[in-house]
Amino acid sequence: MIDFLSNNTKIIENIIQKALLQNRYELLEPEAKEFIEACGINTTKQRMTSSREEAIQAARSMGYPVVLKIVSPDISHKTEVGGVKLGIQDDNGVVNAYDEITRDVTSRQPGARIHGIIVQEMATPSTEVIVGGLRDPQFGPAVMFGLGGIFVEVFKDVSFRIAPVEEYEARDMIRQIKGAEVLKGFRNRKAADISALAQTIVQVSDIMVTIEEVKEIDLNPILVYPIGLKAVDARIILNQFISSQNS
Ligand code: ADP
Ligand code: MG
Protein backbone atom coordinates (compact mmCIF):
# COMPACT_ATOMS: atom_id res chain seq x y z
CA MET A 1 0.00 0.00 0.00
CA ILE A 2 2.44 2.68 1.19
CA ASP A 3 5.75 3.40 2.87
CA PHE A 4 4.62 4.72 6.22
CA LEU A 5 2.80 1.46 6.90
CA SER A 6 5.91 -0.63 6.22
CA ASN A 7 4.91 -4.20 7.09
CA ASN A 8 1.55 -3.40 8.57
CA THR A 9 -0.51 -3.14 5.40
CA LYS A 10 -1.89 -6.63 5.91
CA ILE A 11 -3.12 -5.86 9.43
CA ILE A 12 -4.99 -2.83 8.15
CA GLU A 13 -6.45 -4.62 5.14
CA ASN A 14 -7.68 -7.42 7.39
CA ILE A 15 -9.39 -5.03 9.80
CA ILE A 16 -11.16 -3.26 6.94
CA GLN A 17 -12.13 -6.53 5.21
CA LYS A 18 -13.55 -8.04 8.36
CA ALA A 19 -15.72 -5.01 9.09
CA LEU A 20 -16.98 -4.71 5.51
CA LEU A 21 -17.82 -8.43 5.36
CA GLN A 22 -20.00 -7.89 8.42
CA ASN A 23 -21.54 -4.78 6.87
CA ARG A 24 -20.04 -2.60 9.56
CA TYR A 25 -18.89 0.85 8.47
CA GLU A 26 -17.78 2.03 11.88
CA LEU A 27 -14.85 0.12 13.33
CA LEU A 28 -15.11 -1.03 16.91
CA GLU A 29 -12.78 0.82 19.30
CA PRO A 30 -10.35 -2.12 19.60
CA GLU A 31 -10.21 -2.41 15.78
CA ALA A 32 -9.70 1.32 15.34
CA LYS A 33 -6.89 1.26 17.88
CA GLU A 34 -5.20 -1.71 16.25
CA PHE A 35 -5.50 0.19 12.97
CA ILE A 36 -3.86 3.40 14.23
CA GLU A 37 -1.20 1.43 16.04
CA ALA A 38 -0.32 -0.24 12.73
CA CYS A 39 0.05 3.31 11.36
CA GLY A 40 2.54 4.18 14.10
CA ILE A 41 0.26 6.07 16.49
CA ASN A 42 0.76 5.15 20.13
CA THR A 43 -2.28 3.79 21.94
CA THR A 44 -3.29 1.87 25.05
CA LYS A 45 -2.57 -1.78 25.65
CA GLN A 46 -5.89 -3.60 25.24
CA ARG A 47 -7.54 -6.99 25.33
CA MET A 48 -11.06 -8.08 24.39
CA THR A 49 -12.82 -10.20 26.97
CA SER A 50 -16.16 -11.93 27.22
CA SER A 51 -16.34 -12.98 30.86
CA ARG A 52 -15.43 -11.56 34.25
CA GLU A 53 -12.68 -14.17 34.57
CA GLU A 54 -11.13 -13.18 31.27
CA ALA A 55 -11.35 -9.53 32.28
CA ILE A 56 -9.49 -10.24 35.53
CA GLN A 57 -6.84 -12.18 33.62
CA ALA A 58 -6.41 -9.33 31.17
CA ALA A 59 -6.19 -6.74 33.95
CA ARG A 60 -3.58 -8.74 35.86
CA SER A 61 -1.49 -9.31 32.78
CA MET A 62 -1.36 -5.61 31.87
CA GLY A 63 -1.19 -4.39 35.47
CA TYR A 64 -3.53 -2.20 37.52
CA PRO A 65 -5.00 0.39 37.24
CA VAL A 66 -7.14 -0.52 34.21
CA VAL A 67 -10.15 0.75 32.27
CA LEU A 68 -13.15 -1.34 31.17
CA LYS A 69 -15.31 -0.33 28.20
CA ILE A 70 -18.27 -1.70 26.30
CA VAL A 71 -17.61 -2.92 22.75
CA SER A 72 -20.74 -2.70 20.63
CA PRO A 73 -21.34 -1.91 16.95
CA ASP A 74 -24.46 -0.04 18.09
CA ILE A 75 -22.72 2.29 20.54
CA SER A 76 -20.30 5.00 19.46
CA HIS A 77 -20.59 7.24 22.50
CA LYS A 78 -19.80 4.81 25.26
CA THR A 79 -19.85 7.14 28.27
CA GLU A 80 -23.42 8.24 27.54
CA VAL A 81 -24.73 4.74 28.17
CA GLY A 82 -22.54 3.93 31.17
CA GLY A 83 -20.09 1.98 29.04
CA VAL A 84 -16.78 3.30 30.44
CA LYS A 85 -15.21 2.65 33.88
CA LEU A 86 -11.89 4.31 34.64
CA GLY A 87 -9.20 3.80 37.26
CA ILE A 88 -10.06 0.26 38.36
CA GLN A 89 -7.58 -0.80 41.02
CA ASP A 90 -8.07 -4.51 41.68
CA ASP A 91 -9.81 -7.79 40.76
CA ASN A 92 -12.88 -6.85 42.74
CA GLY A 93 -13.12 -3.56 40.89
CA VAL A 94 -12.97 -5.43 37.59
CA VAL A 95 -15.89 -7.66 38.55
CA ASN A 96 -17.96 -4.68 39.70
CA ALA A 97 -17.17 -2.65 36.61
CA TYR A 98 -17.92 -5.61 34.33
CA ASP A 99 -21.33 -6.13 35.94
CA GLU A 100 -22.21 -2.44 36.08
CA ILE A 101 -21.33 -1.85 32.44
CA THR A 102 -23.35 -4.85 31.33
CA ARG A 103 -26.32 -3.80 33.45
CA ASP A 104 -26.28 -0.08 32.58
CA VAL A 105 -25.74 -0.53 28.86
CA THR A 106 -28.51 -3.10 28.60
CA SER A 107 -30.95 -0.88 30.46
CA ARG A 108 -29.99 2.38 28.70
CA GLN A 109 -29.74 0.93 25.23
CA PRO A 110 -31.82 -2.22 25.10
CA GLY A 111 -31.14 -4.34 22.03
CA ALA A 112 -27.57 -3.08 21.55
CA ARG A 113 -25.41 -5.96 20.32
CA ILE A 114 -22.54 -6.50 22.72
CA HIS A 115 -19.32 -7.96 21.31
CA GLY A 116 -17.62 -7.98 24.68
CA ILE A 117 -15.84 -5.78 27.15
CA ILE A 118 -12.42 -4.41 26.49
CA VAL A 119 -9.80 -4.11 29.20
CA GLN A 120 -7.24 -1.33 28.69
CA GLU A 121 -4.33 0.02 30.63
CA MET A 122 -5.34 3.22 32.44
CA ALA A 123 -3.22 5.96 30.86
CA THR A 124 -1.96 8.65 33.26
CA PRO A 125 -4.37 11.59 33.00
CA SER A 126 -2.92 14.61 31.15
CA THR A 127 -3.90 17.32 28.69
CA GLU A 128 -6.47 15.93 26.24
CA VAL A 129 -6.48 16.81 22.57
CA ILE A 130 -8.39 15.65 19.51
CA VAL A 131 -6.96 14.82 16.12
CA GLY A 132 -9.40 14.06 13.35
CA GLY A 133 -9.43 13.17 9.68
CA LEU A 134 -12.31 13.70 7.28
CA ARG A 135 -13.17 13.97 3.59
CA ASP A 136 -14.49 17.34 2.59
CA PRO A 137 -16.88 17.02 -0.38
CA GLN A 138 -15.16 19.96 -2.07
CA PHE A 139 -11.53 19.83 -0.92
CA GLY A 140 -11.04 16.12 -0.26
CA PRO A 141 -9.04 14.68 2.63
CA ALA A 142 -8.50 17.07 5.53
CA VAL A 143 -7.27 17.00 9.12
CA MET A 144 -8.51 18.66 12.26
CA PHE A 145 -6.90 19.51 15.57
CA GLY A 146 -8.33 20.80 18.85
CA LEU A 147 -8.11 20.58 22.61
CA GLY A 148 -10.34 17.94 24.17
CA GLY A 149 -13.56 18.34 26.12
CA ILE A 150 -15.35 21.70 26.31
CA PHE A 151 -12.76 23.42 24.12
CA VAL A 152 -14.04 21.57 21.09
CA GLU A 153 -17.64 20.98 22.13
CA VAL A 154 -18.46 24.43 23.51
CA PHE A 155 -15.90 26.82 22.03
CA LYS A 156 -15.41 25.06 18.68
CA ASP A 157 -11.75 25.95 19.05
CA VAL A 158 -10.32 23.82 16.26
CA SER A 159 -8.03 24.20 13.26
CA PHE A 160 -8.30 22.49 9.87
CA ARG A 161 -5.96 21.85 6.94
CA ILE A 162 -6.36 20.14 3.63
CA ALA A 163 -4.27 16.95 3.50
CA PRO A 164 -1.51 16.11 2.90
CA VAL A 165 -0.03 18.21 5.69
CA GLU A 166 3.66 18.33 6.45
CA GLU A 167 5.14 18.73 9.89
CA TYR A 168 5.49 22.52 9.73
CA GLU A 169 1.82 22.83 8.78
CA ALA A 170 0.84 20.52 11.61
CA ARG A 171 2.80 22.77 13.99
CA ASP A 172 0.89 25.78 12.60
CA MET A 173 -2.39 24.01 13.27
CA ILE A 174 -1.35 23.46 16.87
CA ARG A 175 -0.22 27.07 17.34
CA GLN A 176 -3.34 28.42 15.69
CA ILE A 177 -6.03 27.35 18.15
CA LYS A 178 -7.04 29.90 20.79
CA GLY A 179 -6.27 27.50 23.62
CA ALA A 180 -2.73 26.81 22.38
CA GLU A 181 -1.29 28.31 25.60
CA VAL A 182 -2.61 25.31 27.50
CA LEU A 183 -0.05 23.14 25.68
CA LYS A 184 2.85 25.34 26.75
CA GLY A 185 2.46 24.36 30.37
CA PHE A 186 1.64 26.49 33.37
CA ARG A 187 2.22 26.35 37.12
CA ASN A 188 3.21 22.75 37.86
CA ARG A 189 2.22 21.47 34.49
CA LYS A 190 4.98 20.75 31.99
CA ALA A 191 4.71 21.67 28.33
CA ALA A 192 3.10 19.10 26.04
CA ASP A 193 5.19 17.23 23.47
CA ILE A 194 4.42 19.35 20.39
CA SER A 195 6.66 17.26 18.12
CA ALA A 196 4.78 14.08 18.96
CA LEU A 197 1.51 15.89 18.41
CA ALA A 198 2.59 17.29 15.05
CA GLN A 199 3.75 13.83 14.03
CA THR A 200 0.35 12.37 14.90
CA ILE A 201 -1.43 15.00 12.79
CA VAL A 202 0.87 14.09 9.88
CA GLN A 203 0.14 10.39 10.40
CA VAL A 204 -3.61 11.01 10.32
CA SER A 205 -3.12 13.09 7.19
CA ASP A 206 -1.16 10.21 5.61
CA ILE A 207 -3.93 7.77 6.47
CA MET A 208 -6.56 10.01 4.87
CA VAL A 209 -4.49 10.48 1.73
CA THR A 210 -3.46 6.86 1.25
CA ILE A 211 -6.24 4.67 2.62
CA GLU A 212 -9.27 5.52 0.54
CA GLU A 213 -11.56 3.17 2.47
CA VAL A 214 -11.32 5.53 5.44
CA LYS A 215 -14.03 8.17 5.47
CA GLU A 216 -13.43 9.64 8.89
CA ILE A 217 -11.08 9.28 11.86
CA ASP A 218 -11.59 10.65 15.31
CA LEU A 219 -8.89 10.25 17.95
CA ASN A 220 -10.76 11.65 20.90
CA PRO A 221 -9.03 12.01 23.20
CA ILE A 222 -5.29 11.74 22.83
CA LEU A 223 -3.47 12.28 26.14
CA VAL A 224 -0.35 14.37 25.56
CA TYR A 225 2.61 14.16 27.90
CA PRO A 226 5.84 16.12 28.28
CA ILE A 227 7.31 13.25 26.27
CA GLY A 228 5.07 11.30 23.93
CA LEU A 229 1.33 10.80 23.76
CA LYS A 230 -1.31 8.10 23.82
CA ALA A 231 -4.63 7.82 21.98
CA VAL A 232 -7.12 6.42 24.52
CA ASP A 233 -10.18 6.39 22.25
CA ALA A 234 -10.42 6.00 18.48
CA ARG A 235 -13.24 5.95 15.96
CA ILE A 236 -12.84 5.13 12.29
CA ILE A 237 -15.69 5.31 9.79
CA LEU A 238 -15.34 3.49 6.47
CA ASN A 239 -16.62 4.61 3.10
CA GLN A 240 -19.68 2.72 1.95
CA PHE A 241 -19.00 3.16 -1.74
CA ILE A 242 -15.60 1.66 -2.27
CA SER A 243 -15.17 -2.07 -2.55
CA SER A 244 -12.47 -3.49 -0.33
CA GLN A 245 -10.66 -4.71 -3.48
CA ASN A 246 -9.38 -1.23 -4.28
CA SER A 247 -6.84 -0.94 -1.53
P1 ADP B 1 -16.56 7.77 24.66
O1 ADP B 1 -17.03 6.70 23.71
O2 ADP B 1 -17.64 8.19 25.60
O3 ADP B 1 -15.94 8.92 23.93
P2 ADP B 1 -13.88 7.23 25.72
O4 ADP B 1 -13.25 5.93 25.35
O5 ADP B 1 -13.37 8.44 25.02
O6 ADP B 1 -15.46 7.07 25.58
O7 ADP B 1 -13.71 7.42 27.29
C1 ADP B 1 -14.22 8.57 27.96
C2 ADP B 1 -13.10 9.33 28.66
O8 ADP B 1 -12.44 8.49 29.59
C3 ADP B 1 -12.00 9.82 27.73
O9 ADP B 1 -12.33 11.08 27.19
C4 ADP B 1 -10.79 9.88 28.64
O10 ADP B 1 -10.79 11.08 29.40
C5 ADP B 1 -11.04 8.72 29.59
N1 ADP B 1 -10.36 7.48 29.15
C6 ADP B 1 -10.85 6.56 28.29
N2 ADP B 1 -10.01 5.52 28.13
C7 ADP B 1 -8.95 5.76 28.92
C8 ADP B 1 -7.73 5.05 29.20
N3 ADP B 1 -7.44 3.86 28.65
N4 ADP B 1 -6.85 5.62 30.07
C9 ADP B 1 -7.13 6.81 30.65
N5 ADP B 1 -8.25 7.53 30.43
C10 ADP B 1 -9.16 7.02 29.57
MG1 MG C 1 -14.00 9.40 23.29
Side-chain angles (χ1 to χ4, degrees):
M1 208 182 293
I2 5 159
D3 313 341
F4 85 103
L5 293 175
S6 56
N7 298 321
N8 293 330
T9 308
K10 207 79 220 144
I11 298 176
I12 291 169
E13 280 174 358
N14 287 341
I15 294 169
I16 294 174
Q17 288 282 356
K18 185 178 169 198
L20 293 179
L21 281 171
Q22 297 178 4
N23 281 313
R24 289 188 287 113
Y25 295 98
E26 179 172 339
L27 299 182
L28 301 165
E29 180 188 335
E31 293 171 333
K33 281 181 162 171
E34 203 187 326
F35 188 119
I36 61 168
E37 195 170 38
C39 300
I41 299 171
N42 196 31
T43 181
T44 51
K45 279 184 248 169
Q46 56 172 9
R47 208 158 106 197
M48 268 294 273
T49 68
S50 45
S51 70
R52 296 150 146 193
E53 292 70 31
E54 271 178 33
I56 290 172
Q57 283 295 320
R60 285 183 184 169
S61 78
M62 63 186 73
Y64 287 102
V66 296
V67 172
L68 263 62
K69 295 185 196 172
I70 193 73
V71 179
S72 163
D74 303 313
I75 298 170
S76 25
H77 301 286
K78 302 170 293 282
T79 307
E80 282 173 17
V81 293
V84 177
K85 299 280 181 201
L86 304 173
I88 299 160
Q89 298 291 348
D90 51 29
D91 293 2
N92 222 356
V94 170
V95 171
N96 291 337
Y98 197 99
D99 291 348
E100 280 172 31
I101 289 176
T102 313
R103 189 194 60 212
D104 291 347
V105 168
T106 336
S107 75
R108 292 192 212 173
Q109 193 161 327
R113 292 162 293 174
I114 294 174
H115 282 215
I117 292 203
I118 191 164
V119 178
Q120 296 172 2
E121 68 177 290
M122 170 80 190
T124 310
S126 191
T127 307
E128 300 197 350
V129 303
I130 300 177
V131 175
L134 62 152
R135 290 187 193 278
D136 183 273
Q138 202 175 346
F139 299 109
V143 285
M144 181 273 248
F145 170 74
L147 291 172
I150 58 164
F151 291 100
V152 165
E153 278 156 36
V154 181
F155 301 120
K156 314 275 185 253
D157 184 16
V158 292
S159 53
F160 287 92
R161 286 290 184 288
I162 305 300
V165 303
E166 289 184 46
E167 191 186 325
Y168 76 93
E169 294 173 280
R171 285 177 182 271
D172 276 348
M173 288 177 74
I174 298 166
R175 264 195 296 270
Q176 205 181 27
I177 58 164
K178 296 194 200 79
E181 289 288 314
V182 170
L183 299 168
K184 291 186 182 158
F186 47 93
R187 298 210 189 103
N188 297 327
R189 201 159 190 147
K190 289 191 176 144
D193 189 338
I194 302 297
S195 298
L197 206 44
Q199 191 193 356
T200 305
I201 294 172
V202 171
Q203 284 162 323
V204 169
S205 160
D206 286 345
I207 294 171
M208 296 311 295
V209 169
T210 52
I211 309 178
E212 57 183 357
E213 288 93 337
V214 173
K215 182 175 179 216
E216 218 177 293
I217 303 182
D218 194 20
L219 308 182
N220 180 8
I222 295 173
L223 304 190
V224 200
Y225 301 104
I227 299 175
L229 54 72
K230 206 166 263 191
V232 302
D233 188 20
R235 265 173 37 133
I236 292 179
I237 316 266
L238 302 176
N239 274 314
Q240 305 222 7
F241 311 110
I242 297 171
S243 102
S244 47
Q245 308 306 316
N246 294 358
S247 57

